[in-house]
Amino acid sequence: MNTPEVLFVCVHNAGRSQMAAALLHHHAAGRVAVRSAGSAPAGEINPAVVAVMAELGIDVSREFPKRLTTDAVEAADVVITMGCGDACPVFPGKRYLDWQLDDPAGRVVDQIRPIRDEIDRRVRELLTELVAG
């Protein structure tokens, strides 16, 4: 059985995609390969995102924004975009999902928690689909 690979993509790879990747990695416990990337990566992960993830016992402080590559998209079974528009290359045979989520950039911890919680809900749902077969 092949391990499914999921790629989360947002513009800066500093908030939504990092939270989603960390949450899926945490919940999947090795059953899914997870990557994240950005079409225009920021210099660092949003510190408020690091804080809200730490509240769940998930440390993303050593993570860093990564540039989206064609190879990453080709390797993925599922590509989940989060506000990257047309920057993500599209390949036949891939499953694409577009999660409309507020951008945590410029927001404080109290404003990011609901975004994190919605990502967590969607990640758990996706994990159920991926490992059900």
Side-chain angles (χ1 to χ4, degrees), residues 62-92:
R62 291 180 185 85
E63 295 295 330
F64 59 92
K66 294 162 277 306
R67 179 163 302 286
L68 177 64
T69 65
T70 301
D71 289 346
V73 177
E74 285 180 326
D77 297 300
V78 181
V79 179
I80 300 174
T81 58
M82 304 170 159
C84 71
D86 296 331
C88 188
V90 175
F91 293 98

Side-chain angles (χ1 to χ4, degrees), residues 26-27 52 64-65 93 108 124:
H26 174 76
H27 294 310
V52 299
F64 59 92
V108 297
R124 288 171 188 261

Side-chain angles (χ1 to χ4, degrees), residues 12-15 17-18 36-38 41-46 50 60-67:
H12 300 298
N13 191 222
S17 58
Q18 290 282 352
S36 70
E44 65 181 8
I45 293 183
N46 179 334
V50 173
V60 296
S61 65
R62 291 180 185 85
E63 295 295 330
F64 59 92
K66 294 162 277 306
R67 179 163 302 286

Side-chain angles (χ1 to χ4, degrees), residues 8-52:
F8 292 101
V9 182
C10 67
V11 175
H12 300 298
N13 191 222
R16 294 167 287 191
S17 58
Q18 290 282 352
M19 286 190 284
L23 287 161
L24 182 56
H25 179 75
H26 174 76
H27 294 310
R31 295 175 290 171
V32 178
V34 185
R35 292 205 256 180
S36 70
S39 53
E44 65 181 8
I45 293 183
N46 179 334
V49 165
V50 173
V52 299

Side-chain angles (χ1 to χ4, degrees), residues 8 15-28 52-53 55-58 80 82 99-101 112-129:
F8 292 101
R16 294 167 287 191
S17 58
Q18 290 282 352
M19 286 190 284
L23 287 161
L24 182 56
H25 179 75
H26 174 76
H27 294 310
V52 299
M53 294 304 290
E55 291 175 353
L56 299 180
I58 299 173
I80 300 174
M82 304 170 159
W99 289 358
Q100 297 293 319
L101 297 158
I112 296 174
R113 279 188 197 107
I115 300 168
R116 176 204 61 199
D117 294 346
E118 177 59 17
I119 291 171
D120 191 40
R121 184 191 69 73
R122 293 181 190 201
V123 159
R124 288 171 188 261
E125 190 176 282
L126 175 67
L127 179 59
T128 300
E129 292 173 26

